[in-house]
Amino acid sequence: MGKKTIHVSDFTGQVLSPDDEVVKVVVLEHPDLVAGPVQLDATAVEVESIDDAALDVAVVEIHDRHGHGEPRRVVLTASEFDAMATDVPMAQLLRTAERVKPPKARRATEKIDYGTIEHAGRPHRGRVTEEEARLVREHLDEVNKRLADAGIRQVDPADPEHAARYGFPTAD
């Protein structure tokens, strides 16, 4: 018995032929996206109008005055954002504004403690400690939600590699 794989467009459900120019569309942000970026397959023809539909937008972060809490990220049309500058045109304001320094790179000496709930289950090259394995087993839903929110692979107890790594029972 043989198997035949049929590829279909995620957008239209139409069968993709080997002659179709297939493109990958990565959705980075969307109101309905809950577990990080996703990939969709489509034909080049199906997405050719995407550039025409693109908006000129400004993406801004609003930090509170005292630097407490997470900044709010807001997307608005560039024209709406430009209209906020009433003294000097926005283009000039952006050219002369103070540059934001990129975040400092983490020092190589800074060790991540995977034996804490905030890091347990994250992929890493080192050995999994018993503490990390216990946290993953006892808080699997919480760990997987955190991993999914960060766009990282989740821990699957049915995966033999994950079962061995984190001490999940195996169906031998």
Side-chain angles (χ1 to χ4, degrees):
M1 172 170 49
K3 291 184 180 182
K4 186 175 185 179
T5 303
I6 298 173
H7 295 276
V8 297
S9 165
D10 289 315
F11 288 100
T12 63
Q14 291 183 352
V15 175
L16 301 173
S17 75
D19 297 336
D20 285 332
E21 183 184 345
V22 178
V23 296
K24 172 174 67 169
V25 177
V26 177
V27 182
L28 301 171
E29 294 183 29
H30 187 281
D32 295 328
L33 197 60
V34 293
V38 297
Q39 172 182 312
L40 303 172
D41 291 326
T43 65
V45 171
E46 290 173 325
V47 297
E48 67 186 8
S49 65
I50 220 165
D51 289 325
D52 295 336
L55 302 173
D56 286 331
V57 298
V59 180
V60 300
E61 283 183 347
I62 301 173
H63 298 253
D64 80 6
R65 183 176 177 168
H66 303 288
H68 302 305
E70 291 295 314
R72 284 190 342 258
R73 188 174 195 160
V74 180
V75 178
L76 62 162
T77 65
S79 60
E80 289 172 320
F81 184 67
D82 292 352
M84 297 176 77
T86 57
D87 184 39
V88 176
M90 185 59 75
Q92 181 180 345
L93 187 60
L94 293 175
R95 277 193 302 274
T96 59
E98 178 182 351
R99 297 281 171 235
V100 174
K101 295 178 179 101
K104 292 181 181 176
R106 202 170 67 207
R107 294 182 183 159
T109 58
E110 211 176 303
K111 296 272 186 186
I112 294 175
D113 183 1
Y114 295 99
T116 62
I117 194 65
E118 71 177 315
H119 296 296
R122 290 183 69 92
H124 60 90
R125 285 185 266 177
R127 172 181 88 71
V128 172
T129 64
E130 183 49 44
E131 179 63 13
E132 180 185 5
R134 182 187 65 74
L135 283 170
V136 169
R137 288 190 309 269
E138 291 177 3
H139 301 278
L140 183 62
D141 290 341
E142 181 182 345
V143 167
N144 276 341
K145 180 179 182 334
R146 179 178 38 77
L147 294 172
D149 289 347
I152 301 171
R153 69 94 180 104
Q154 296 176 43
V155 177
D156 179 4
D159 180 318
E161 186 179 320
H162 291 185
R165 188 168 173 90
Y166 299 106
F168 289 103
T170 56
D172 286 338

